[in-house]
Amino acid sequence: MPRLTTDPLSLSGSGELQQQLYLSIRQQLLSGRCPGGALLPSERQLAADLGLSRSTVQQALQQLVAEGYIEPQQGRGYQIVHALPDGFFAASHKPACTSSSLPSQHYGLTAKAPSYSGRLQPGVANVQQFPFRLWQKLLQRHANRPVLCTMADPQGYLPLRQALVHYLRQSRQLICDESTVLITAGAQQALFVAAKLVARGGQQVLMESPGYPRLQQALQLAELDIAYLPAAGPAGIDPTALPLQSKAKALFLTPSHQYPCGGIMPLSQRLALLNWARTEQCWLIEDDYDSEFQYRHRPIASLQGLANGNGVLFTGSFSKTLFPALRLGYLVVPAELAGTAGAIQQALHGDVPLLSQAVLADFMDEGHFNRHLRKMRRFYQQQKQQAVSLLQQHLPHATLLAQDAGLHLSVLLPGLNDDIALSRQCNHHGFNAQPYSRYCFLNEPERGLVIGIADADKDCLMQLINLLNTLKAMSGQAGIR
C-alpha cells in the first residue's frame, strides 16, 4: 500500500501542538483524499517535516488510533482504516450553510435573546433584596436528605403543597386542598398544562390583547386557535362585550392586574364574567401573576374563590415574589382534573426538583415568605411612586398605565411610530425596556415602552429619561413630544 506524504498537513497555530496535528490529520482523512489501507508518514517524518517532538506526534497518533481512524501495523507504522468512523460527515468545524431538507415545526415561536439581563426589565424581582443567607441556611438543612434525590409525587412535594394551600386560602380566598394543587416548573409550564387540560389542537381559546406574549407562545405550541379580546380599559376585559354562543373552550385572563395595561377587574364585573363563562360552558384560566403587589387596596377575591373552585383554573408562581431562577409555579385545578394535570406535567417535564420545593416549604411554614412579601410590597410601592413621579415630571405628555400594582409601568409615548426601534436603542444602552407593541395582538395603535420598576432607582430612571429626550432631539422619528 502507498505511504502518504506530509505535504497536505499543516498546523493551525491555535491550541496545543498535539491537538493541531491531530486535527490536521483527521481533516485529511475525512476529506476523502486518503485511501483506506494507505500508510501515514512515519513518526520520524512527521516530527522532522512539521518541527515537532516525537512524543507530540505519538500522542496525536494514539488519539487517532483510540477514535478508530488508523490502526498500528507492526514494523510499518500506522494504516488508515477502510471505513472511517465518521466518514459521512463533512470535514469542517463550521456548521453547514444549507438547511436540512427534512420537515420541521416552528409554531411561530421566537427565542428570547441569549443575554436577557439589563436594567428596567419588566416583571423581574429585585433579587438584591432577597434574604439569600437565610435561604442558604434552609438549603443546607435539606441538602443531604436522600429522600429529596428520589422520584417525586407527580403533583409535587406534599409539604410545599400544604403550605401553598394555607397561603392561597388566606391571601386569595381560593377553594383548594393539597390534592388540587400541582407544582410546576414555573408559571409558563402551568399555563401550558392548563391549555392542554381545557382544549385540543385546533379548538378555539380566548386571550387578552394587549396580553402576555409567552402565553400566546404556549397556546401556539398547543396548536390552539387563538382569538383576542380587547383588554386595555381600566378594568381589563369588559364582560358585556364578550361573545355569545362562542365556540371558545377557554378564556385566559389576568383579572387582578391586567398585563401589561394594569386594569383591575372590580367585583361586579368578575361576577358578570363568571355568569358568562357558566352560560357559555367556557373554562376560565386565571393568571394571578403578581396579585401580591397591590398598592391601593387588598387584592379582590379571586375568580376561583368566587366560583367555589368550579370552572376556573388558577395559576401563579414564585418568580416575582422570590426570584425568577427558582423556577417554581403552581396550578390549582378542580379535584376531578388533578390526576390528568399531573399526568400532563409528567409527560411534559417529569418531576420538578425536590430540593428547592423542600426549601420553599420551610420558607413558607416558618413565616419568612410573608415577612419578605410585606417588606417587598413596601419597597416596590416606593419604587413605583418614584417612577411615576419622575416620568410625569420629565415626560409630561406620556400616558402611564399600571400605576397601582405590580412590578412594571407601561409608558405610552404620543406620536411614536416604531417602538421596536426605540426599544433596541434603549437595549443598546443597557435598558431592557420592552416595546409596548410586542404585547398587542389586535394592532392597537398605541406605542411606547414597558419598563420594570424593581430596580428603578432615581439615577437609573433619569438615565432612561435623558436617553429618550436625547433620541427625541436627534430625530423626530423618536416621536416623544
Side-chain angles (χ1 to χ4, degrees):
M1 293 300 294
R3 184 178 294 275
L4 305 180
T5 69
T6 59
D7 294 342
L9 302 178
S10 62
L11 304 180
S12 66
S14 175
E16 297 181 356
L17 292 174
Q18 168 200 339
Q19 184 71 2
Q20 293 180 46
L21 177 58
Y22 158 79
L23 290 173
S24 181
I25 296 175
R26 181 178 178 273
Q27 177 82 7
Q28 289 301 311
L29 297 179
L30 295 179
S31 69
R33 293 189 290 269
C34 302
L39 296 173
L40 291 183
S42 67
E43 292 180 6
R44 186 187 303 276
Q45 192 69 44
L46 287 167
D49 290 356
L50 298 174
L52 301 172
S53 68
R54 288 284 294 275
S55 64
T56 297
V57 171
Q58 289 170 352
Q59 290 172 4
L61 294 176
Q62 289 168 5
Q63 182 66 28
L64 291 165
V65 170
E67 295 183 5
Y69 293 97
I70 59 177
E71 51 191 15
Q73 298 291 320
Q74 183 68 33
R76 301 174 63 202
Y78 294 90
Q79 184 180 53
I80 302 171
V81 300
H82 288 277
L84 295 176
D86 49 2
F88 49 87
F89 292 119
S92 172
H93 302 298
K94 297 181 180 180
C97 295
T98 56
S99 61
S100 171
S101 60
L102 297 175
S104 62
Q105 300 297 322
H106 298 285
Y107 301 100
L109 305 179
T110 56
K112 70 179 182 181
S115 176
Y116 215 65
S117 60
R119 295 175 292 174
L120 306 184
Q121 171 69 40
V124 175
N126 189 318
V127 296
Q128 303 299 325
Q129 301 290 323
F130 187 74
F132 285 108
R133 184 171 298 178
L134 171 61
W135 187 265
Q136 180 67 22
K137 179 181 178 182
L138 297 177
L139 185 63
Q140 292 174 344
R141 177 189 297 174
H142 293 285
N144 61 352
R145 292 180 60 197
V147 69
L148 299 180
C149 301
T150 60
M151 303 296 286
D153 187 306
Q155 289 185 239
Y157 187 60
L158 178 59
L160 176 57
R161 286 186 282 133
Q162 292 171 332
L164 187 57
V165 164
H166 180 73
Y167 168 73
L168 292 175
R169 285 174 176 173
Q170 286 191 331
S171 67
R172 304 298 292 118
Q173 294 80 53
L174 252 65
I175 307 299
C176 60
D177 59 38
E178 57 267 23
S179 70
T180 63
V181 173
L182 175 71
I183 303 298
T184 62
Q188 184 71 8
Q189 189 175 95
L191 290 169
F192 185 79
V193 172
K196 300 303 289 184
L197 277 171
V198 298
R200 294 183 179 273
Q203 293 182 328
Q204 187 180 85
V205 294
L206 306 172
M207 68 170 286
E208 301 167 321
S209 180
Y212 183 39
R214 292 186 69 187
L215 168 62
Q216 182 196 46
Q217 291 180 339
L219 301 181
Q220 288 173 326
L221 190 60
E223 299 185 312
L224 299 175
D225 175 25
I226 310 171
Y228 301 98
L229 299 175
I237 288 175
D238 179 3
T240 64
L242 290 171
L244 299 178
Q245 298 182 337
S246 169
K247 296 181 180 179
K249 298 297 182 182
L251 165 57
F252 291 75
L253 73 166
T254 52
S256 294
H257 186 221
Q258 201 284 328
Y259 191 78
C261 298
I264 299 174
M265 186 177 288
L267 180 60
S268 60
Q269 293 196 22
R270 292 177 186 236
L271 296 175
L273 176 66
L274 290 171
N275 286 332
W276 171 87
R278 192 175 300 114
T279 300
E280 295 292 320
Q281 292 292 290
C282 179
W283 284 98
L284 298 177
I285 289 78
E286 182 176 11
D287 182 359
D288 200 61
Y289 70 99
D290 70 356
S291 68
E292 291 87 356
F293 303 119
Q294 298 274 350
Y295 307 129
R296 287 201 173 185
H297 50 70
R298 289 181 60 83
I300 299 173
S302 65
L303 292 173
Q304 198 269 4
L306 292 171
N308 287 319
N310 298 315
V312 182
L313 308 184
F314 185 94
T315 73
S317 84
F318 296 95
S319 293
K320 294 175 180 60
T321 53
L322 300 182
F323 54 91
L326 183 59
R327 303 312 307 144
L328 286 178
Y330 49 88
L331 174 66
V332 181
V333 301
E336 65 271 17
L337 295 184
T340 304
I344 294 172
Q345 156 81 350
Q346 288 293 302
L348 178 66
H349 184 272
D351 294 340
V352 177
L354 284 171
L355 179 57
S356 55
Q357 293 188 65
V359 175
L360 178 54
D362 282 3
F363 192 77
M364 297 184 77
D365 280 335
E366 296 175 12
H368 309 302
F369 181 69
N370 283 331
R371 281 192 291 274
H372 183 64
L373 277 186
R374 289 193 294 270
K375 168 190 169 183
M376 297 312 295
R377 190 178 294 114
R378 292 191 297 269
F379 177 82
Y380 291 140
Q381 183 174 17
Q382 293 170 358
Q383 294 282 98
K384 178 151 284 193
Q385 289 172 344
Q386 175 179 254
V388 169
S389 176
L390 289 172
L391 289 165
Q392 287 177 337
Q393 178 183 351
H394 297 282
L395 296 175
H397 297 290
T399 299
L400 303 184
L401 305 179
Q403 296 187 39
D404 298 328
L407 305 184
H408 74 277
L409 274 170
S410 293
V411 185
L412 304 185
L413 301 170
L416 178 63
N417 296 319
D418 189 352
D419 57 2
I420 295 176
L422 179 62
S423 173
R424 286 174 181 159
Q425 290 174 306
C426 292
N427 294 165
H428 180 71
H429 289 82
F431 297 105
N432 249 341
Q434 298 297 304
Y436 180 77
S437 60
R438 175 175 178 247
Y439 305 84
C440 299
F441 311 117
L442 289 173
N443 296 317
E444 290 89 346
E446 293 84 5
R447 294 293 179 265
L449 297 174
V450 180
I451 65 172
I453 58 93
D455 63 348
D457 58 41
K458 183 175 181 180
D459 289 342
C460 181
L461 285 166
M462 287 308 304
Q463 289 176 33
L464 175 67
I465 290 169
N466 291 335
L467 173 62
L468 294 177
N469 284 326
T470 299
L471 293 174
K472 168 193 171 183
M474 292 173 58
S475 171
Q477 294 299 317
I480 305 168
R481 295 202 301 262

